[in-house]
């Protein structure tokens, strides 16, 4: 048995990228920052705060929700699985990207603070 599941709570770093492919299927890419707070060891050594950036990929209904309601600075809860893609660009350079393919999304920013109003704060979808 194996398990590939990721759960993240973080802040959107820039406006989502929305595209429509194959007969109008919505896709969205969200840049999500998660931060681990800094702390001090017993020895007095300071361990600094650390921010990780995640590329979140959403499809269909979840992408449509992102298009309508998610903006830079919003706080999100995302569940999904890790996927890694590799490709070679036109110049022959090889690239690798690790993404989170979302299966669940919850909008955590209160409506009064968000740049958009949400009537659908939670949704689940399969890519």
């Amino acid at each position: 048995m194996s398990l590939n599941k990721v759960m993240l709570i973080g802040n959107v770093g820039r406006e989502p990228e929305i595209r429509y492919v194959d007969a109008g299927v919505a896709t969205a890419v969200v840049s999500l920052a998660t931060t681990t707070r800094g702390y001090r060891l017993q020895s007095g050594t300071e361990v600094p705060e650390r921010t990780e950036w995640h590329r979140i990929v959403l499809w269909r209904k979840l992408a449509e929700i992102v298009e309508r309601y998610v903006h830079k600075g919003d706080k999100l809860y995302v569940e999904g699985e890790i996927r890694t893609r590799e490709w070679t660009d036109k110049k022959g350079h090889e690239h690798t990207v690790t993404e989170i393919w979302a299966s669940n999304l919850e909008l955590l920013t209160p409506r009064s603070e968000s740049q958009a109003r949400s009537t659908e704060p939670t949704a689940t979808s399969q890519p």
Side-chain angles (χ1 to χ4, degrees):
M1 181 174 159
S2 65
L3 176 66
N4 180 353
K5 182 164 184 123
V6 176
M7 295 181 287
L8 300 170
I9 295 176
N11 293 313
V12 177
R14 63 176 180 258
E15 288 298 311
E17 301 170 27
I18 309 297
R19 293 192 175 97
Y20 285 84
V21 297
D22 298 336
V25 174
T27 67
V29 174
V30 173
S31 179
L32 192 74
T34 57
T35 302
T36 303
R37 292 185 182 197
Y39 56 94
R40 181 179 306 188
L41 298 174
Q42 286 183 343
S43 66
T45 303
E46 293 286 334
V47 177
E49 178 177 275
R50 188 172 115 187
T51 300
E52 293 286 337
W53 288 94
H54 310 276
R55 179 179 168 93
I56 312 297
V57 178
L58 305 103
W59 290 87
R60 298 175 183 80
K61 179 84 170 156
L62 293 181
E64 292 170 9
I65 289 169
V66 165
E67 181 177 30
R68 278 188 229 130
Y69 305 117
V70 175
H71 298 281
K72 179 180 178 180
D74 286 350
K75 186 173 289 287
L76 301 179
Y77 168 78
V78 176
E79 284 182 27
E81 65 181 52
I82 297 174
R83 292 194 186 182
T84 303
R85 292 187 295 122
E86 297 176 355
W87 77 94
T88 304
D89 66 20
K90 294 176 184 176
K91 295 182 180 179
H93 298 105
E94 293 183 8
H95 300 271
T96 301
V97 64
T98 300
E99 302 168 320
I100 307 302
W101 281 48
S103 58
N104 186 35
L105 170 72
E106 292 186 31
L107 310 178
L108 300 179
T109 299
R111 290 182 195 176
S112 60
E113 294 178 25
S114 181
Q115 296 176 11
R117 301 286 182 225
S118 172
T119 58
E120 230 173 319
T122 304
T124 303
S125 175
Q126 292 297 325

